[in-house]
Amino acid sequence: MHTIWRVILVAFLCGSPLGYGYTPGEMVDSKMPTKTLMPKVKVDSGRLEWVPYAMDLSPWPTLCEDDPRAMPRPQHAQYVAPLRGDAVRGRMIVMDTRRGNCVTCHEIPGEDWPGTFGRKLNHYKQLRMSDADIYQQIYDVRITAPRAVMPPFGALGILSDQDIRDVVAYLQSLE
Amino acid sequence: MRNLIVVLGLLLAPAWADEPYKEYTPAEHFEPHVSGDSQLTGTYRYWKDPTKLDLRLAGHPDDSWKLNWKHLDYPFNKEMHAGHLALDRGLVLFNKLNRAGTFKNCLVMYRLNGQYETTLRGLRTHFPAYRTDLRRVAGLEEVIEHCAALESETLQNGSYDNSAVSIYIASQSLGMPIKIDVSSGPLREAWKRGERLFHQKVGRNNMSCASCHVGRVGQSLRATVVTSPYGDAAHYPVYRDRFGITSLHIRFAQCSLDLGFNALKPGSPAYTDVEVFLTALTNGYPVSVPSERP
Protein backbone atom coordinates (compact mmCIF):
# COMPACT_ATOMS: atom_id res chain seq x y z
CA MET A 1 0.00 0.00 0.00
CA HIS A 2 2.77 2.29 1.04
CA THR A 3 4.59 1.76 -2.23
CA ILE A 4 1.48 2.53 -4.22
CA TRP A 5 1.13 5.91 -2.58
CA ARG A 6 4.75 6.64 -3.17
CA VAL A 7 4.35 5.76 -6.84
CA ILE A 8 1.39 8.10 -7.04
CA LEU A 9 3.45 10.80 -5.38
CA VAL A 10 6.21 10.30 -7.91
CA ALA A 11 3.65 10.44 -10.68
CA PHE A 12 2.58 13.73 -9.27
CA LEU A 13 6.00 15.24 -8.71
CA CYS A 14 8.26 13.81 -11.40
CA GLY A 15 6.19 14.65 -14.42
CA SER A 16 2.80 14.81 -15.97
CA PRO A 17 0.84 11.56 -15.96
CA LEU A 18 1.01 9.93 -19.38
CA GLY A 19 -1.27 6.98 -19.12
CA TYR A 20 1.47 4.44 -19.72
CA GLY A 21 0.27 2.72 -16.58
CA TYR A 22 3.58 2.42 -14.76
CA THR A 23 5.38 5.27 -13.01
CA PRO A 24 4.17 8.26 -14.98
CA GLY A 25 6.70 10.86 -16.07
CA GLU A 26 9.12 8.03 -16.65
CA MET A 27 8.81 6.70 -20.16
CA VAL A 28 7.79 3.09 -19.73
CA ASP A 29 5.20 0.79 -21.26
CA SER A 30 4.31 -2.05 -18.93
CA LYS A 31 2.95 -4.08 -21.84
CA MET A 32 6.33 -4.31 -23.56
CA PRO A 33 8.74 -7.08 -22.50
CA THR A 34 11.49 -4.62 -21.56
CA LYS A 35 9.12 -1.83 -20.40
CA THR A 36 11.73 0.92 -20.90
CA LEU A 37 11.11 3.23 -23.86
CA MET A 38 13.47 5.38 -25.85
CA PRO A 39 12.65 8.49 -27.86
CA LYS A 40 12.73 8.38 -31.63
CA VAL A 41 12.67 11.69 -33.48
CA LYS A 42 10.77 11.28 -36.74
CA VAL A 43 11.69 13.77 -39.48
CA ASP A 44 9.00 16.34 -40.36
CA SER A 45 6.66 15.30 -37.58
CA GLY A 46 5.18 17.17 -34.64
CA ARG A 47 4.94 13.98 -32.63
CA LEU A 48 7.68 12.28 -30.71
CA GLU A 49 7.75 8.51 -30.98
CA TRP A 50 8.74 6.18 -28.15
CA VAL A 51 10.06 2.75 -29.05
CA PRO A 52 11.10 -0.20 -26.86
CA TYR A 53 14.62 0.01 -25.45
CA ALA A 54 16.81 -3.11 -25.35
CA MET A 55 16.94 -3.31 -21.56
CA ASP A 56 14.40 -2.98 -18.76
CA LEU A 57 15.69 -0.19 -16.54
CA SER A 58 12.48 0.09 -14.51
CA PRO A 59 13.85 -1.25 -11.23
CA TRP A 60 16.22 1.69 -10.87
CA PRO A 61 15.56 5.13 -9.45
CA THR A 62 15.56 7.72 -12.19
CA LEU A 63 16.79 11.31 -12.17
CA CYS A 64 14.17 12.95 -9.97
CA GLU A 65 14.48 14.32 -6.45
CA ASP A 66 11.25 12.67 -5.38
CA ASP A 67 11.75 9.21 -6.81
CA PRO A 68 10.83 7.00 -3.82
CA ARG A 69 13.01 4.07 -4.89
CA ALA A 70 16.27 3.78 -2.99
CA MET A 71 19.70 2.79 -4.29
CA PRO A 72 21.33 -0.21 -2.56
CA ARG A 73 23.70 0.77 0.27
CA PRO A 74 27.41 -0.19 0.19
CA GLN A 75 27.75 -3.88 0.95
CA HIS A 76 30.53 -6.14 2.18
CA ALA A 77 30.74 -9.18 -0.09
CA GLN A 78 30.26 -12.62 1.44
CA TYR A 79 33.03 -14.31 -0.48
CA VAL A 80 33.74 -17.96 0.25
CA ALA A 81 36.86 -19.67 -1.17
CA PRO A 82 37.70 -21.56 -3.30
CA LEU A 83 37.20 -19.39 -6.34
CA ARG A 84 35.86 -21.92 -8.85
CA GLY A 85 35.76 -19.32 -11.64
CA ASP A 86 35.81 -19.83 -15.39
CA ALA A 87 38.25 -17.35 -16.98
CA VAL A 88 36.81 -17.83 -20.48
CA ARG A 89 33.33 -16.92 -19.30
CA GLY A 90 34.90 -14.12 -17.28
CA ARG A 91 36.37 -12.56 -20.39
CA MET A 92 32.99 -12.63 -22.10
CA ILE A 93 31.43 -10.77 -19.17
CA VAL A 94 34.27 -8.23 -19.15
CA MET A 95 33.73 -7.44 -22.85
CA ASP A 96 29.91 -7.48 -22.82
CA THR A 97 28.56 -3.90 -22.71
CA ARG A 98 25.31 -5.10 -21.10
CA ARG A 99 27.06 -6.92 -18.27
CA GLY A 100 30.57 -6.21 -16.97
CA ASN A 101 31.34 -3.60 -19.56
CA CYS A 102 34.73 -3.29 -17.86
CA VAL A 103 36.44 -2.45 -21.15
CA THR A 104 34.54 0.82 -21.37
CA CYS A 105 36.69 2.06 -18.47
CA HIS A 106 39.70 -0.27 -18.27
CA GLU A 107 42.34 -1.41 -20.71
CA ILE A 108 41.95 -5.15 -21.33
CA PRO A 109 44.20 -7.24 -23.63
CA GLY A 110 42.89 -7.52 -27.19
CA GLU A 111 40.71 -4.39 -27.12
CA ASP A 112 41.75 -1.53 -29.41
CA TRP A 113 39.59 1.25 -27.95
CA PRO A 114 39.67 0.79 -24.18
CA GLY A 115 38.51 3.45 -21.76
CA THR A 116 40.85 5.30 -19.40
CA PHE A 117 38.60 5.82 -16.37
CA GLY A 118 40.21 3.01 -14.40
CA ARG A 119 43.72 1.61 -14.44
CA LYS A 120 44.99 -0.85 -17.06
CA LEU A 121 44.08 -4.39 -16.14
CA ASN A 122 46.38 -5.93 -18.77
CA HIS A 123 48.71 -7.66 -16.33
CA TYR A 124 46.51 -7.66 -13.30
CA LYS A 125 47.87 -10.92 -11.90
CA GLN A 126 51.21 -9.20 -11.30
CA LEU A 127 49.63 -7.09 -8.57
CA ARG A 128 49.17 -10.29 -6.53
CA MET A 129 45.83 -9.23 -5.18
CA SER A 130 43.87 -11.87 -3.28
CA ASP A 131 40.77 -13.33 -4.90
CA ALA A 132 38.72 -12.02 -2.00
CA ASP A 133 39.94 -8.43 -2.49
CA ILE A 134 39.25 -8.45 -6.23
CA TYR A 135 35.87 -10.00 -5.54
CA GLN A 136 35.02 -7.15 -3.16
CA GLN A 137 36.30 -4.57 -5.64
CA ILE A 138 33.89 -5.83 -8.28
CA TYR A 139 31.07 -6.68 -5.88
CA ASP A 140 30.97 -3.21 -4.35
CA VAL A 141 33.72 -0.70 -5.07
CA ARG A 142 32.27 1.69 -2.48
CA ILE A 143 33.82 -0.44 0.29
CA THR A 144 37.33 -0.52 -1.20
CA ALA A 145 37.55 2.81 -3.08
CA PRO A 146 34.59 5.05 -2.21
CA ARG A 147 35.40 7.75 -4.76
CA ALA A 148 36.06 5.47 -7.72
CA VAL A 149 33.54 5.88 -10.52
CA MET A 150 32.87 2.18 -10.95
CA PRO A 151 29.48 0.49 -10.70
CA PRO A 152 28.96 -1.76 -7.64
CA PHE A 153 28.19 -4.80 -9.77
CA GLY A 154 27.28 -7.23 -7.00
CA ALA A 155 25.39 -4.90 -4.68
CA LEU A 156 23.28 -3.71 -7.62
CA GLY A 157 22.66 -7.24 -8.83
CA ILE A 158 24.16 -6.69 -12.27
CA LEU A 159 26.58 -9.59 -11.88
CA SER A 160 25.79 -12.78 -9.94
CA ASP A 161 28.15 -14.49 -7.48
CA GLN A 162 29.28 -16.90 -10.21
CA ASP A 163 29.72 -14.06 -12.74
CA ILE A 164 32.05 -12.25 -10.36
CA ARG A 165 33.99 -15.44 -9.65
CA ASP A 166 34.45 -15.88 -13.40
CA VAL A 167 35.66 -12.29 -13.81
CA VAL A 168 38.09 -12.68 -10.89
CA ALA A 169 39.43 -15.87 -12.51
CA TYR A 170 39.91 -13.94 -15.76
CA LEU A 171 41.79 -11.07 -14.05
CA GLN A 172 43.98 -13.59 -12.21
CA SER A 173 44.84 -15.13 -15.59
CA LEU A 174 46.28 -11.85 -16.97
CA GLU A 175 49.99 -12.48 -16.49
CA MET B 1 -14.36 9.97 9.94
CA ARG B 2 -12.08 7.08 10.81
CA ASN B 3 -11.78 6.15 7.16
CA LEU B 4 -10.91 9.70 6.34
CA ILE B 5 -8.04 9.65 8.83
CA VAL B 6 -6.76 6.39 7.38
CA VAL B 7 -6.89 7.78 3.86
CA LEU B 8 -5.17 11.00 4.92
CA GLY B 9 -2.55 8.97 6.78
CA LEU B 10 -1.82 6.93 3.69
CA LEU B 11 -1.60 10.04 1.59
CA LEU B 12 0.86 11.65 3.94
CA ALA B 13 2.81 8.47 4.76
CA PRO B 14 5.42 9.00 2.06
CA ALA B 15 6.25 12.41 3.44
CA TRP B 16 6.96 10.92 6.86
CA ALA B 17 8.88 7.91 5.67
CA ASP B 18 12.68 7.99 5.57
CA GLU B 19 14.32 9.57 2.56
CA PRO B 20 15.20 6.80 0.13
CA TYR B 21 18.96 6.14 0.22
CA LYS B 22 20.91 7.85 -2.54
CA GLU B 23 24.49 8.99 -2.87
CA TYR B 24 25.79 12.28 -4.23
CA THR B 25 29.08 12.99 -5.95
CA PRO B 26 30.91 15.56 -3.78
CA ALA B 27 30.03 18.92 -5.29
CA GLU B 28 32.51 21.27 -6.89
CA HIS B 29 31.93 24.98 -6.95
CA PHE B 30 29.99 26.02 -10.05
CA GLU B 31 29.79 29.55 -11.45
CA PRO B 32 26.68 30.55 -13.40
CA HIS B 33 28.93 31.79 -16.18
CA VAL B 34 30.83 29.93 -18.87
CA SER B 35 34.17 31.32 -17.70
CA GLY B 36 33.74 29.25 -14.52
CA ASP B 37 35.18 26.41 -16.58
CA SER B 38 38.64 27.82 -15.96
CA GLN B 39 38.41 26.52 -12.39
CA LEU B 40 36.85 23.20 -13.35
CA THR B 41 38.55 21.82 -16.45
CA GLY B 42 40.72 24.68 -17.66
CA THR B 43 39.76 24.06 -21.28
CA TYR B 44 37.84 27.35 -21.58
CA ARG B 45 40.82 29.17 -23.08
CA TYR B 46 40.75 26.78 -26.05
CA TRP B 47 37.09 27.28 -26.97
CA LYS B 48 36.31 30.69 -25.49
CA ASP B 49 36.13 32.39 -28.88
CA PRO B 50 34.37 30.25 -31.50
CA THR B 51 35.91 32.30 -34.30
CA LYS B 52 39.48 31.61 -33.13
CA LEU B 53 39.69 27.88 -32.54
CA ASP B 54 43.03 26.17 -32.92
CA LEU B 55 43.00 24.22 -36.15
CA ARG B 56 45.73 21.87 -34.95
CA LEU B 57 43.78 20.86 -31.84
CA ALA B 58 40.69 20.14 -33.94
CA GLY B 59 42.63 17.77 -36.16
CA HIS B 60 44.23 15.91 -33.28
CA PRO B 61 42.23 12.89 -32.04
CA ASP B 62 43.88 12.94 -28.60
CA ASP B 63 43.47 16.68 -28.08
CA SER B 64 40.28 17.68 -29.87
CA TRP B 65 38.24 17.16 -26.65
CA LYS B 66 39.86 20.34 -25.32
CA LEU B 67 37.71 22.27 -27.80
CA ASN B 68 34.55 21.04 -26.03
CA TRP B 69 33.25 20.08 -29.52
CA LYS B 70 33.08 23.75 -30.49
CA HIS B 71 34.87 22.92 -33.75
CA LEU B 72 31.56 21.45 -34.83
CA ASP B 73 29.87 24.84 -34.52
CA TYR B 74 29.73 27.48 -37.21
CA PRO B 75 31.97 29.20 -38.40
CA PHE B 76 34.62 26.54 -37.87
CA ASN B 77 32.27 23.92 -39.28
CA LYS B 78 30.82 25.16 -42.56
CA GLU B 79 29.50 21.73 -43.59
CA MET B 80 25.98 21.43 -44.85
CA HIS B 81 24.30 19.02 -42.40
CA ALA B 82 20.76 18.01 -41.56
CA GLY B 83 20.51 20.80 -38.98
CA HIS B 84 20.24 23.27 -41.85
CA LEU B 85 17.23 21.42 -43.24
CA ALA B 86 15.58 21.65 -39.83
CA LEU B 87 16.26 25.38 -39.72
CA ASP B 88 14.58 25.83 -43.13
CA ARG B 89 11.56 23.84 -42.01
CA GLY B 90 11.49 25.79 -38.76
CA LEU B 91 11.05 29.04 -40.66
CA VAL B 92 8.19 27.60 -42.73
CA LEU B 93 6.47 26.18 -39.65
CA PHE B 94 6.94 29.38 -37.71
CA ASN B 95 5.31 31.48 -40.42
CA LYS B 96 2.44 29.03 -40.66
CA LEU B 97 1.88 29.02 -36.89
CA ASN B 98 2.21 32.78 -36.71
CA ARG B 99 -0.26 33.66 -39.47
CA ALA B 100 -2.35 35.64 -37.01
CA GLY B 101 0.67 37.02 -35.13
CA THR B 102 -0.52 35.40 -31.91
CA PHE B 103 2.08 32.61 -31.86
CA LYS B 104 4.94 35.08 -31.65
CA ASN B 105 3.13 37.11 -29.01
CA CYS B 106 2.68 33.99 -26.93
CA LEU B 107 6.40 33.24 -27.20
CA VAL B 108 7.69 36.66 -26.28
CA MET B 109 5.22 37.63 -23.55
CA TYR B 110 4.52 36.30 -20.06
CA ARG B 111 7.93 36.53 -18.53
CA LEU B 112 8.35 37.28 -14.85
CA ASN B 113 8.61 40.98 -13.94
CA GLY B 114 6.95 41.94 -17.21
CA GLN B 115 10.14 41.89 -19.23
CA TYR B 116 8.38 41.65 -22.54
CA GLU B 117 10.17 41.80 -25.82
CA THR B 118 8.59 42.45 -29.14
CA THR B 119 10.88 40.57 -31.46
CA LEU B 120 12.44 37.12 -31.57
CA ARG B 121 15.87 38.67 -31.46
CA GLY B 122 17.56 37.68 -28.21
CA LEU B 123 14.64 35.49 -27.14
CA ARG B 124 16.75 32.30 -27.11
CA THR B 125 19.34 33.83 -24.81
CA HIS B 126 17.05 34.03 -21.79
CA PHE B 127 15.39 30.65 -21.78
CA PRO B 128 14.60 28.75 -19.61
CA ALA B 129 12.50 31.50 -18.10
CA TYR B 130 9.73 31.78 -15.52
CA ARG B 131 6.45 31.99 -17.44
CA THR B 132 3.63 33.76 -15.69
CA ASP B 133 1.05 31.96 -17.85
CA LEU B 134 2.43 28.48 -17.04
CA ARG B 135 3.35 29.53 -13.49
CA ARG B 136 6.67 27.71 -13.68
CA VAL B 137 10.13 27.80 -15.15
CA ALA B 138 9.97 26.41 -18.68
CA GLY B 139 12.43 25.76 -21.47
CA LEU B 140 11.94 27.25 -24.93
CA GLU B 141 10.74 23.93 -26.39
CA GLU B 142 8.08 23.57 -23.70
CA VAL B 143 6.86 27.07 -24.47
CA ILE B 144 6.82 26.31 -28.21
CA GLU B 145 4.65 23.26 -27.53
CA HIS B 146 2.34 25.33 -25.34
CA CYS B 147 2.01 28.25 -27.77
CA ALA B 148 1.50 25.92 -30.75
CA ALA B 149 -1.33 24.22 -28.86
CA LEU B 150 -3.04 27.60 -28.58
CA GLU B 151 -2.92 27.71 -32.39
CA SER B 152 -4.43 24.19 -32.41
CA GLU B 153 -1.22 22.59 -33.64
CA THR B 154 0.60 19.64 -32.06
CA LEU B 155 4.32 20.26 -31.66
CA GLN B 156 5.31 17.84 -28.94
CA ASN B 157 8.33 18.80 -26.90
CA GLY B 158 11.29 16.91 -28.39
CA SER B 159 9.62 16.23 -31.75
CA TYR B 160 11.38 17.18 -34.98
CA ASP B 161 9.00 20.00 -35.77
CA ASN B 162 9.22 21.47 -32.28
CA SER B 163 13.03 21.41 -32.46
CA ALA B 164 12.92 22.87 -35.98
CA VAL B 165 10.96 25.88 -34.72
CA SER B 166 13.33 26.11 -31.75
CA ILE B 167 16.37 26.15 -34.08
CA TYR B 168 14.71 28.86 -36.17
CA ILE B 169 14.04 30.98 -33.07
CA ALA B 170 17.61 30.41 -31.86
CA SER B 171 18.90 31.49 -35.27
CA GLN B 172 17.39 34.90 -34.54
CA SER B 173 19.83 35.19 -31.59
CA LEU B 174 22.85 33.92 -33.47
CA GLY B 175 26.09 35.05 -31.85
CA MET B 176 24.29 36.64 -28.88
CA PRO B 177 25.49 35.40 -25.48
CA ILE B 178 23.25 33.19 -23.37
CA LYS B 179 21.98 35.25 -20.48
CA ILE B 180 19.80 33.74 -17.80
CA ASP B 181 19.68 35.18 -14.31
CA VAL B 182 19.82 32.54 -11.60
CA SER B 183 20.61 34.93 -8.78
CA SER B 184 17.09 34.99 -7.31
CA GLY B 185 13.51 33.78 -7.50
CA PRO B 186 12.22 30.63 -9.22
CA LEU B 187 15.28 30.37 -11.47
CA ARG B 188 17.58 30.31 -8.47
CA GLU B 189 15.49 27.48 -7.00
CA ALA B 190 15.64 25.61 -10.31
CA TRP B 191 19.43 26.12 -10.54
CA LYS B 192 19.86 24.69 -7.04
CA ARG B 193 17.65 21.69 -7.76
CA GLY B 194 19.41 21.16 -11.09
CA GLU B 195 22.82 21.28 -9.45
CA ARG B 196 21.74 18.69 -6.89
CA LEU B 197 20.29 16.42 -9.57
CA PHE B 198 23.54 16.77 -11.52
CA HIS B 199 25.31 15.17 -8.54
CA GLN B 200 22.69 12.55 -7.68
CA LYS B 201 23.79 8.96 -8.27
CA VAL B 202 21.02 6.84 -9.72
CA GLY B 203 20.41 3.95 -12.11
CA ARG B 204 21.99 0.60 -12.78
CA ASN B 205 25.52 2.04 -12.66
CA ASN B 206 25.03 4.22 -9.56
CA MET B 207 26.44 7.24 -11.40
CA SER B 208 25.71 10.94 -11.47
CA CYS B 209 26.25 13.39 -14.31
CA ALA B 210 29.12 14.77 -12.24
CA SER B 211 30.74 11.30 -12.04
CA CYS B 212 31.89 11.93 -15.62
CA HIS B 213 31.46 15.62 -16.38
CA VAL B 214 33.30 16.86 -13.31
CA GLY B 215 36.19 14.64 -12.24
CA ARG B 216 36.67 12.77 -15.49
CA VAL B 217 36.89 15.40 -18.19
CA GLY B 218 39.51 14.43 -20.78
CA GLN B 219 39.29 10.74 -19.97
CA SER B 220 37.76 8.32 -22.40
CA LEU B 221 35.00 5.79 -22.26
CA ARG B 222 36.02 3.53 -25.08
CA ALA B 223 36.31 5.92 -28.03
CA THR B 224 34.47 8.94 -26.57
CA VAL B 225 36.17 11.54 -24.41
CA VAL B 226 34.23 13.37 -21.71
CA THR B 227 34.18 17.16 -22.04
CA SER B 228 33.31 20.12 -19.83
CA PRO B 229 29.69 20.69 -18.71
CA TYR B 230 30.27 24.42 -19.26
CA GLY B 231 29.10 25.90 -22.55
CA ASP B 232 26.92 22.95 -23.53
CA ALA B 233 23.57 24.70 -23.92
CA ALA B 234 24.37 27.19 -26.72
CA HIS B 235 23.94 24.87 -29.72
CA TYR B 236 20.69 23.05 -28.99
CA PRO B 237 18.61 21.60 -30.62
CA VAL B 238 21.53 19.95 -32.36
CA TYR B 239 21.90 17.47 -35.19
CA ARG B 240 23.29 14.08 -34.15
CA ASP B 241 24.15 11.63 -36.87
CA ARG B 242 22.69 8.56 -35.20
CA PHE B 243 19.72 10.22 -33.52
CA GLY B 244 18.65 13.06 -35.79
CA ILE B 245 17.56 16.46 -34.50
CA THR B 246 18.06 16.35 -30.75
CA SER B 247 16.70 18.86 -28.25
CA LEU B 248 18.48 19.22 -24.92
CA HIS B 249 15.78 17.22 -23.13
CA ILE B 250 16.04 14.47 -25.75
CA ARG B 251 19.79 14.49 -25.10
CA PHE B 252 19.04 14.06 -21.40
CA ALA B 253 16.72 11.16 -22.24
CA GLN B 254 19.52 9.53 -24.26
CA CYS B 255 22.02 10.14 -21.41
CA SER B 256 19.53 8.61 -18.96
CA LEU B 257 19.23 5.40 -20.96
CA ASP B 258 23.01 5.20 -21.49
CA LEU B 259 23.52 5.57 -17.76
CA GLY B 260 20.96 2.90 -16.93
CA PHE B 261 17.80 4.61 -15.81
CA ASN B 262 14.49 5.35 -17.46
CA ALA B 263 14.10 8.46 -19.56
CA LEU B 264 11.69 11.17 -18.48
CA LYS B 265 9.26 12.87 -20.80
CA PRO B 266 10.77 16.04 -22.29
CA GLY B 267 9.53 18.98 -20.28
CA SER B 268 9.57 17.04 -17.00
CA PRO B 269 10.45 19.26 -14.05
CA ALA B 270 13.70 17.38 -13.29
CA TYR B 271 14.96 17.81 -16.86
CA THR B 272 14.01 21.48 -16.82
CA ASP B 273 15.99 21.93 -13.60
CA VAL B 274 19.07 20.30 -15.17
CA GLU B 275 18.51 22.47 -18.25
CA VAL B 276 18.53 25.60 -16.07
CA PHE B 277 21.74 24.41 -14.40
CA LEU B 278 23.53 23.69 -17.70
CA THR B 279 22.20 26.85 -19.36
CA ALA B 280 23.55 28.96 -16.50
CA LEU B 281 26.92 27.24 -17.05
CA THR B 282 26.64 28.52 -20.62
CA ASN B 283 25.92 32.14 -19.65
CA GLY B 284 28.10 34.43 -21.74
CA TYR B 285 28.61 31.96 -24.60
CA PRO B 286 27.18 32.84 -28.03
CA VAL B 287 24.18 30.99 -29.45
CA SER B 288 25.25 28.75 -32.32
CA VAL B 289 22.70 26.98 -34.51
CA PRO B 290 22.35 24.87 -36.52
CA SER B 291 25.16 22.73 -35.20
CA GLU B 292 26.03 19.08 -34.97
CA ARG B 293 27.50 16.73 -32.38
CA PRO B 294 28.51 13.08 -32.57
Side-chain angles (χ1 to χ4, degrees):
Chain A
M1 203 58 190
H2 200 88
T3 324
I4 293 175
W5 283 112
R6 291 206 140 198
V7 167
I8 292 172
L9 194 77
V10 173
F12 196 69
L13 296 166
C14 291
S16 49
L18 286 163
Y20 281 93
Y22 193 71
T23 306
E26 252 181 89
M27 296 309 293
V28 285
D29 183 346
S30 55
K31 293 187 286 299
M32 303 306 296
T34 56
K35 297 193 183 69
T36 297
L37 296 176
M38 81 177 169
K40 198 171 155 219
V41 179
K42 211 173 97 193
V43 174
D44 293 350
S45 166
R47 288 178 195 280
L48 182 61
E49 284 181 27
W50 291 87
V51 297
Y53 186 63
M55 273 191 283
D56 181 5
L57 303 174
S58 307
W60 306 108
T62 185
L63 193 68
C64 173
E65 204 58 75
D66 305 291
D67 194 316
R69 290 165 294 188
M71 291 298 296
R73 289 174 192 272
Q75 275 170 38
H76 285 274
Q78 308 293 321
Y79 172 74
V80 185
L83 181 61
R84 284 195 231 284
D86 175 346
V88 176
R89 248 192 107 245
R91 180 173 165 87
M92 281 161 57
I93 295 167
V94 163
M95 304 301 281
D96 185 342
T97 49
R98 298 269 159 73
R99 306 191 59 207
N101 196 22
C102 324
V103 65
T104 295
C105 297
H106 293 281
E107 197 168 316
I108 306 281
E111 168 60 44
D112 293 337
W113 290 99
T116 59
F117 267 45
R119 68 147 71 212
K120 299 180 181 183
L121 299 178
N122 294 17
H123 307 287
Y124 201 68
K125 187 171 186 217
Q126 292 177 6
L127 291 183
R128 298 177 183 276
M129 301 285 282
S130 71
D131 293 344
D133 284 351
I134 308 179
Y135 188 100
Q136 176 68 60
Q137 172 76 23
I138 300 170
Y139 186 87
D140 197 331
V141 67
R142 294 173 294 181
I143 302 290
T144 43
R147 292 194 71 154
V149 179
M150 172 164 153
F153 291 96
L156 266 63
I158 295 164
L159 297 181
S160 68
D161 173 59
Q162 188 57 50
D163 291 342
I164 299 177
R165 287 168 183 272
D166 294 342
V167 172
V168 173
Y170 173 64
L171 294 183
Q172 295 288 40
S173 77
L174 297 175
E175 306 257 356
Chain B
M1 189 58 197
R2 214 174 149 175
N3 283 350
L4 188 71
I5 290 171
V6 170
V7 169
L8 272 178
L10 282 169
L11 263 173
L12 294 171
W16 290 328
D18 283 347
E19 283 275 299
Y21 178 78
K22 271 171 211 157
E23 291 161 8
Y24 289 81
T25 302
E28 294 286 331
H29 174 72
F30 282 101
E31 278 299 324
H33 190 272
V34 65
S35 60
D37 177 81
S38 310
Q39 275 99 59
L40 189 73
T41 81
T43 58
Y44 181 52
R45 59 198 165 113
Y46 299 114
W47 48 271
K48 185 176 181 169
D49 184 346
T51 62
K52 291 191 191 125
L53 301 180
D54 185 337
L55 191 70
R56 276 168 318 157
L57 277 188
H60 206 291
D62 289 341
D63 282 338
S64 61
W65 66 270
K66 292 179 185 160
L67 293 173
N68 200 6
W69 294 108
K70 298 303 183 189
H71 54 302
L72 296 179
D73 288 354
Y74 189 85
F76 198 90
N77 174 13
K78 295 197 175 72
E79 299 265 310
M80 188 62 198
H81 54 77
H84 293 273
L85 301 177
L87 170 61
D88 293 346
R89 183 170 168 87
L91 169 65
V92 174
L93 288 171
F94 181 87
N95 286 334
K96 199 172 127 220
L97 284 160
N98 197 41
R99 259 182 312 235
T102 43
F103 180 65
K104 194 187 94 182
N105 281 350
C106 172
L107 291 173
V108 301
M109 285 165 62
Y110 308 111
R111 280 182 64 216
L112 189 63
N113 306 331
Q115 302 162 6
Y116 304 147
E117 20 289 87
T118 48
T119 67
L120 295 185
R121 204 176 139 66
L123 189 71
R124 182 71 191 91
T125 65
H126 42 239
F127 267 98
Y130 183 88
R131 291 275 300 196
T132 51
D133 54 345
L134 298 171
R135 292 205 194 81
R136 61 175 180 267
V137 175
L140 181 56
E141 289 80 21
E142 183 178 351
V143 172
I144 291 172
E145 179 179 34
H146 164 73
C147 295
L150 299 180
E151 308 292 330
S152 311
E153 293 283 344
T154 305
L155 254 67
Q156 285 177 349
N157 194 344
S159 70
Y160 183 95
D161 283 355
N162 182 308
S163 292
V165 172
S166 177
I167 293 176
Y168 167 68
I169 293 169
S171 74
Q172 303 301 298
S173 304
L174 211 61
M176 296 171 72
I178 296 283
K179 193 174 187 293
I180 66 166
D181 180 0
V182 294
S183 63
S184 63
L187 269 122
R188 168 129 205 106
E189 296 304 310
W191 148 276
K192 285 202 292 210
R193 286 192 305 267
E195 180 175 27
R196 195 169 148 83
L197 286 168
F198 197 79
H199 293 85
Q200 185 182 67
K201 294 194 187 181
V202 286
R204 123 188 238 283
N205 293 307
N206 195 40
M207 277 191 194
S208 71
C209 314
S211 295
C212 293
H213 288 288
V214 174
R216 301 270 155 187
V217 172
Q219 298 190 12
S220 68
L221 289 161
R222 279 222 159 133
T224 42
V225 183
V226 182
T227 69
S228 174
Y230 279 93
D232 274 351
H235 53 275
Y236 278 85
V238 78
Y239 172 65
R240 297 188 77 196
D241 199 23
R242 270 174 56 217
F243 303 95
I245 298 297
T246 307
S247 73
L248 194 55
H249 286 212
I250 293 288
R251 186 67 168 93
F252 293 163
Q254 293 162 349
C255 291
S256 301
L257 296 170
D258 283 348
L259 294 179
F261 48 89
N262 281 332
L264 299 178
K265 193 187 179 205
S268 290
Y271 279 0
T272 303
D273 291 340
V274 177
E275 179 183 2
V276 168
F277 178 64
L278 289 182
T279 306
L281 297 189
T282 309
N283 267 339
Y285 203 74
V287 173
S288 181
V289 289
S291 191
E292 56 178 334
R293 286 294 181 272

